[in-house]
Amino acid sequence: MLDLRRLRLLRDLQIYGTVTATAEARHLSGPAVSQQLAALEREAGLPLLEKQGRRLRLTPAGHLLAEHAEVILGQLATVEADLRAFQEGGQGLVRLAVFSSAARVLMPRLWRRMPADGAPAPELRITECEPDPAAEALRRREVDIAIVHAYSLLPRELPPGCRQHHLMDEPVLLALPTALASSRGLSPGQPVHLADFAHEHWLMPGTETSCHEMTRRACGAAGFVPRPIVTANDFSVLSALVAAEAGMALIPRMALPRDTEGISLHPLAERLDRTVAAYTRTGDARLPRVGLVLEALRSAAADVTDTTDE
């Protein structure tokens, strides 16, 4: 029979990548982890690990068993969450990793929606974090909820052992300098085709972000390659430069600043959306403290959608 503790170590090795990192995460020594994994190989009757230079990597059989371990551990987490739910009254600590525009727009609304003083309420800890690191922090149990985004042109794969909770969809808008929009005879809110702006100056997020790839794919679908004169990870920087007539940018609605003076905003005829979702580990949504925060997040997201649709 396969030992559950050893299965967890195999799953952790898949997540952390090295025996040393796995040992540190589980507060064990490296040799102890290696011995447990060797015992798991004997139980499985197949080689689960192979050397790659000075490191160990999972074999195909090891990856297969690690994926099964993810499912098994997720089911166990659901059972444990159900049991803890009888013990908790909604109190406890909930740690969130949130990308920047959601941190600015959703988190204040979330805070206001938590139960008032005297009522059972979880304590919140919020860290600003891009979607990929946020999802990784969730799998490493460093946070309890990861708020992530994905684009209709750039879907995001749900990490193993996690559950997705949809919060909202928002359009990605083309932000033009008002003078440029006027010269094209465009009124604010009028749909546009990206192909009509192939030769204009582009302002784009940094190359390491999914937002950069979103812009490249949207422009590629329109038949051209954008050539940015500015790259910046902060959409408020891009917005300010659009207002200064430096160029144009594709910006999700929630990432826009409050003051859009000097900017003409236009939906795309080739509609492009950004989906915002909360990830939790399998079973954790059953915990009262996590469930309370998820419900407040849904309410906050609905408020953002209603406000921007007015």
Side-chain angles (χ1 to χ4, degrees):
M1 180 178 294
L2 299 176
D3 185 272
L4 186 61
R5 291 170 299 178
R6 293 165 183 160
L7 284 174
R8 181 175 279 112
L9 286 176
L10 183 70
R11 187 280 309 269
D12 287 349
L13 180 62
Q14 185 184 53
I15 293 174
Y16 294 106
T18 68
V19 170
T20 300
T22 301
E24 290 176 355
R26 288 295 169 187
H27 305 290
L28 298 169
S29 67
V33 170
S34 297
Q35 290 170 9
Q36 292 298 313
L37 291 174
L40 182 61
E41 279 192 315
R42 291 193 295 271
E43 291 172 353
L46 288 168
L48 304 177
L49 304 168
E50 60 186 3
K51 286 190 175 181
Q52 184 180 39
R54 299 179 62 182
R55 299 177 59 178
L56 287 177
R57 68 175 186 180
L58 273 64
T59 64
H63 280 291
L64 177 63
L65 186 55
E67 295 302 324
H68 281 296
E70 192 77 63
V71 174
I72 294 167
L73 293 170
Q75 291 173 337
L76 179 61
T78 299
V79 174
E80 292 173 340
D82 283 343
L83 293 176
R84 290 198 302 271
F86 283 103
Q87 301 172 332
E88 295 186 8
Q91 297 180 347
L93 175 66
V94 176
R95 302 160 299 170
L96 300 95
V98 191
F99 65 91
S100 58
S101 57
R104 178 176 59 84
V105 176
L106 286 180
M107 292 303 99
R109 289 173 167 85
L110 168 67
W111 217 280
R112 288 193 291 267
R113 280 166 174 75
M114 298 309 295
D117 292 343
E123 185 179 356
L124 301 180
R125 291 288 184 273
I126 297 171
T127 301
E128 184 179 329
C129 192
E130 285 300 299
D132 286 338
E136 189 62 25
L138 180 69
R139 292 197 70 197
R140 295 186 181 207
R141 297 187 173 273
E142 296 167 358
V143 299
D144 304 296
I145 298 175
I147 309 298
V148 305
H149 63 67
Y151 294 99
S152 50
L153 282 175
L154 192 63
R156 185 178 300 278
E157 185 176 356
L158 181 66
C162 297
R163 181 182 173 190
Q164 176 173 297
H165 311 267
H166 178 268
L167 296 179
M168 61 183 290
D169 295 311
E170 59 173 343
V172 176
L173 304 173
L174 182 63
L176 301 174
T178 52
L180 176 59
S182 297
S183 71
R184 297 288 190 99
L186 296 171
S187 57
Q190 183 176 342
V192 295
H193 293 278
L194 276 183
D196 295 337
F197 300 90
H199 302 294
E200 299 290 345
H201 289 160
W202 279 86
L203 319 175
M204 293 173 60
T207 56
E208 71 279 10
T209 66
S210 61
C211 301
H212 179 92
E213 182 62 22
M214 171 272 294
T215 300
R216 286 183 55 84
R217 291 194 184 191
C219 294
F224 68 96
V225 176
R227 293 177 173 81
I229 62 169
V230 172
T231 57
N233 288 346
D234 190 337
F235 278 116
S236 65
V237 173
L238 299 182
S239 299
L241 289 169
V242 171
E245 302 186 8
M248 65 187 61
L250 286 173
I251 302 178
R253 185 170 57 188
M254 191 164 58
L256 289 165
R258 288 183 178 274
D259 182 7
T260 57
E261 183 178 357
I263 301 174
S264 186
L265 298 170
H266 301 270
L268 301 181
E270 314 87 345
R271 186 175 175 89
L272 175 58
D273 290 325
R274 183 170 78 166
T275 296
V276 180
Y279 287 174
T280 61
R281 290 181 295 274
T282 301
D284 279 8
R286 295 174 181 264
L287 295 172
R289 58 186 170 86
V290 177
L292 276 172
V293 175
L294 286 174
E295 188 58 35
L297 279 170
R298 293 187 188 98
S299 178
D303 179 58
V304 171
T305 302
D306 292 341
T307 301
T308 52
D309 283 344
E310 291 177 354

